[in-house]
Amino acid sequence: MAGISSGLGIRRGEPADPEAGVPHSVTPYNVEVAEETERHEREMTFRDAMKADKRLIWHSLGFSGTIVMEGYGYALITYLFSFYTFNEKYGVVLPGKFVDGKPVYELEYIWKALLPLVAQFGSLIGIMITAPVTRRLGYKRTTQLMLVCSAAFVCMPFFASSVQVLLMGFLIQGIPWGVYQVVSPAYASEVASLQLRPILTTWNNLCWVIGQLIASAILKGFEKYPGDMSFRIPFAFQWVFLSMLMIVISFAPESPYWHLQRQRIPEARATIRKLVRHGSADTAERKLALMQHTMHQESKKEGAAAEAASSWKRFTGMFKGVDARRTEIACMAWLIQSMCGSSIIPWAPKLFESAGLAASQALSVNIALPAAGIMGTVASWWLMRIWGRRQIYFWGQLVMGVFLIGVGLASLAPDNISGWIAGGILTVYTAIYDLTIGPVCYSIVSEIPSIRRRAATLSAARGTYLIAGLVNHFLTPKMVGMDESSWKWGAKTGFLYAGMCVLGAVYTWYRIPETTGLSARALDILFQHKISAREFNNDKAAAVEAADREKAAAEAGSRTSDVSVMVHEIRTTDKA
């Protein structure tokens, strides 16, 4: 590989790496090769990328499988609230209410609010520990550790004899779920090539929906199963999924960027060779040069070289300078996803019941929601190639707002059809959500952060999402519940979230930039020069970079001229 390691344009000095806390060694790489590789990735067709990166795709999908576990676990919590044997075990009898001659049980509001609430709180704990743990262990070993923890933590809800034990079980289960939420999109964004990045990042949303679908189908299958095992066996299914994931993750390589931040060039090279097509040593070297060039571009941001290596400085760095804007956008993008009405989806069975359906009918209709979500997510891959992230995010919120108004209006229909109308509209809403906001959010928040701050920024963004989720999980049972302490809004809840969609669309228009077709290095250039969100594109990045080079050349020429004048004056003085 003489062509890679020699020639013009070799960078021989790298700045200190504040994220890893160690200085870069002298690491040469060919700038021309790096930029040529970047152009090649941008010009590749999707089919060519699929052929070249098959191994990369499979490894990324393995990490994304952890999101299936998270989606399954969260859905199981709220879906069980419409499960008769679960309510019989942990709930109280509703006076004077009978179905088929049997008394009706209902979990008290406080527990319906607390059970998903503590799972979200556990996820917040997981998110807070993700950045320091992944910085020390890397994405692969962190995920393996969390899979072991998940397998151990499932025991508590499976054997729970009381709702209090169940509460503690969901709390500790949430910790690894929080780690999965950060690691999976971060890994996909770092290993994916430009053409595959939108699919591999949005695949995480599809995994979430698949988890919901599996939970819905398993609960429906065990609905008539007698005794406590009807709701305990769905918990046990997690052990099967965890075993499969542990095997898959053991074959996956670490992210090359994690090695590069520690100047482990041989390890980064070996990792890239595991990601590219077998025998493509030249491709691996070119990708390595591009990654080094991207790291060099990020190091140009103001204050990077002087930043101290303490843990606190590394954490607060994402709220300063160039990274502050990137952190804000990532946090708001996930906040919008949480507050656009998506919190209704896990509570759909209770909403359908409050709108007039029986519990069994509500569970049957509920299966249509994740099925619609899967179709929407797959279709979003095609839509992103036509419209891009920004346009989909903006128009998706407006269309969802219209359908949420429809959900609210369904409450005005007679009781015997209100639930079916709300169910039909909410199914279409779910398909639109998973066509637009749901998957595209994963792509935006994965691409927006800088590589050095990716784990920390994603942790802050996902933490924002979960804090909003805590509010949703506290209020949603109040809005859609049927007991005396609930507000009994039912389908009228759609009106509130329709207004939230409008506010989110306004923010999107002014602050969220287009990332389609932009490499990590191009994004660095645009953010470093504070380009408006509506002007993000490759042409603007190229123009800004060209202007920078002209300015640097002019300054270098000026310094050379000044030195020549000084030398001339010294010589004149000596002669005198």
Side-chain angles (χ1 to χ4, degrees), residues 423-461:
I425 296 175
L426 195 60
T427 300
V428 178
Y429 164 86
T430 303
I432 295 172
Y433 169 81
D434 286 298
L435 176 67
T436 57
I437 307 302
V440 175
C441 181
Y442 279 94
S443 186
I444 290 174
V445 299
S446 300
E447 295 169 341
I448 287 295
S450 63
I451 292 168
R452 297 171 187 271
R453 306 289 183 205
R454 180 161 282 140
T457 301
L458 284 176
S459 295

Side-chain angles (χ1 to χ4, degrees), residues 22-36:
V22 295
H24 278 286
S25 59
V26 177
T27 308
Y29 71 91
N30 194 306
V31 175
E32 293 177 356
V33 169
E35 294 182 348
E36 175 59 32

Side-chain angles (χ1 to χ4, degrees), residues 33-84:
V33 169
E35 294 182 348
E36 175 59 32
T37 304
E38 185 177 18
R39 284 192 294 270
H40 176 67
E41 282 199 4
R42 195 161 53 237
E43 294 168 1
M44 282 178 74
T45 65
F46 176 73
R47 180 173 296 182
D48 290 338
M50 288 284 290
K51 290 180 180 178
D53 296 327
K54 287 181 181 178
R55 299 167 79 184
L56 178 155
I57 294 169
W58 286 113
H59 292 313
S60 178
L61 296 185
F63 276 85
S64 300
T66 58
I67 303 296
V68 176
M69 288 299 310
E70 182 202 359
Y72 179 88
Y74 274 123
L76 208 60
I77 298 173
T78 51
Y79 289 175
L80 282 171
F81 296 160
S82 294
F83 213 63
Y84 182 83

Side-chain angles (χ1 to χ4, degrees), residues 45 93 158 165-166 170 279 286 342 348 372 460 495:
T45 65
V93 177
F158 179 80
V165 177
L166 200 64
F170 289 154
R286 291 178 180 278
S342 59
F495 291 130

Side-chain angles (χ1 to χ4, degrees), residues 495-539:
F495 291 130
L496 171 65
Y497 287 114
M500 300 300 293
C501 283
V502 174
L503 294 177
V506 173
Y507 177 86
T508 300
W509 179 257
Y510 286 104
R511 295 296 290 172
I512 295 182
E514 181 58 71
T515 58
T516 302
L518 291 173
S519 66
R521 199 175 67 86
L523 287 169
D524 288 334
I525 294 170
L526 293 168
F527 275 114
Q528 287 166 9
H529 288 80
K530 301 179 181 180
I531 304 301
S532 167
R534 286 162 286 180
E535 298 181 42
F536 268 51
N537 56 62
N538 277 307
D539 291 339

